[in-house]
Amino acid sequence: MRLTRRKVIGIGLAGMAAFGIFTTICNWTIDEAANGKIYSSVDLVPKSRVAVVLGTAPTINGYPNLYFQGRISAAAELYKAGKVQKLLVSGTNDRPDYNEPAAMKEALIAQGVPESAIVEDFAGLRTLDTVVRAKKVFGISQCIFVTDDFHMARTLWLAEENWMDAVGFTSRSLPISTSPLTHLREIAARVLVVLDVELLHRQPKFLGKPESL
C-alpha cells in the first residue's frame, strides 16, 4: 500500500504525540518518587550512616565545573554536620587520565573530610550503575544521595526501584543558564532510564564481589 504525503504526516504527528505523552508520564513518575524526599537544608535532612555522592567531571574545557564543586561542598557539609559517617564517591574511571572518584576524594579531603571517611566506587559509569552498585555491591539499603537538584529526582526514582530507603541532599542550585544543554539532556535521560529499568532491565556494566563500606 502506497502512503500518501498526508498519511506520512499523520503518522509522524501521531508518533510525536505518543512520544510527548510518554515523556510526560516518565517525568511525572520520577517526580512523584522524589516527592518529600529532597532536602536543601543540612539542618532538616535526616541522619544516615552513609551518603552516596554522584560523580561528574571536575573540570570542563579546562575550567572548574561548578556542578562538581557544588556536590563536593554539599557532601562535606553533610559530614561536618554529623549527618553521615561515610561518603561513597561514585563515578567513572574509564581512561588513565580521567578519574572522577579520585578527584572527588581529593576535593573532599581539601575541604576537611578525613580520608578514612571516604570510599571510592570506580564503576559508577551512569546514575543507574551508581545506585544499583550502592545496593548490590556496597550493601547500602539506606542512604542520602548527593547531587544537583535537576538530577536528584531521577536518582531517587532509581533508588526506589531498587528498594532503597533514600533521601536526597542537593548541592547549591545553579541557574539553568549555567548549562542549558545539561537540563535538556536530563529530560531525555528520564525517558531513557524508565526504558532501561522497566523494559530493558539493564544492570550496571560492572558488578563484581561485595565490598565493605
Side-chain angles (χ1 to χ4, degrees):
M1 182 179 70
R2 183 178 179 182
L3 293 175
T4 65
R5 180 179 296 179
R6 181 176 293 179
K7 287 182 178 179
V8 170
I9 292 173
I11 293 170
L13 290 174
M16 290 172 61
F19 180 75
I21 292 170
F22 182 65
T23 300
T24 300
I25 292 171
C26 290
N27 275 276
W28 180 84
T29 300
I30 287 172
D31 284 334
E32 279 296 300
N35 189 25
K37 298 179 182 179
I38 300 178
Y39 298 83
S40 58
S41 169
V42 74
D43 295 325
L44 298 178
V45 65
K47 286 186 177 182
S48 184
R49 180 173 176 269
V50 60
V52 180
V53 191
L54 282 86
T56 186
T59 61
I60 298 177
N61 297 324
Y63 294 96
N65 181 356
L66 297 179
Y67 295 112
F68 176 89
Q69 292 180 338
R71 296 182 193 186
I72 294 301
S73 294
E77 185 180 9
L78 276 179
Y79 182 82
K80 291 176 182 178
K83 294 291 184 173
V84 295
Q85 301 170 30
K86 291 282 187 177
L87 297 172
L88 175 65
V89 292
S90 178
T92 183
N93 177 30
D94 56 354
R95 303 194 310 267
D97 62 338
Y98 187 80
N99 191 326
E100 288 178 357
M104 295 161 75
K105 181 178 180 179
E106 182 181 354
L108 284 166
I109 292 173
Q111 290 207 21
V113 178
E115 184 176 359
S116 59
I118 306 168
V119 178
E120 295 165 286
D121 173 18
F122 297 103
L125 307 183
R126 301 176 300 162
T127 306
L128 184 148
D129 296 56
T130 290
V131 174
V132 176
R133 281 178 55 82
K135 178 69 180 292
K136 294 186 176 181
V137 176
F138 293 93
I140 298 171
S141 58
Q142 181 184 37
C143 70
I144 302 171
F145 282 100
V146 178
T147 188
D148 299 286
D149 51 1
F150 63 86
H151 182 211
M152 187 62 78
R154 176 160 55 96
T155 303
L156 292 176
W157 179 80
L158 279 165
E160 184 177 273
E161 289 293 306
N162 284 277
W163 300 96
M164 296 175 73
D165 179 13
V167 297
F169 183 61
T170 59
S171 56
R172 180 172 58 88
S173 182
L174 296 171
I176 293 177
S177 58
T178 302
S179 180
L181 185 58
T182 297
H183 288 263
L184 286 174
R185 282 202 302 262
E186 179 60 24
I187 297 172
R190 289 185 172 199
V191 173
L192 289 174
V193 77
V194 171
L195 291 173
D196 279 345
V197 172
E198 304 295 352
L199 182 63
L200 302 175
H201 307 293
R202 290 194 187 278
Q203 291 295 309
K205 186 174 182 179
F206 304 105
L207 266 177
K209 299 178 181 179
E211 298 185 30
S212 60
L213 186 67

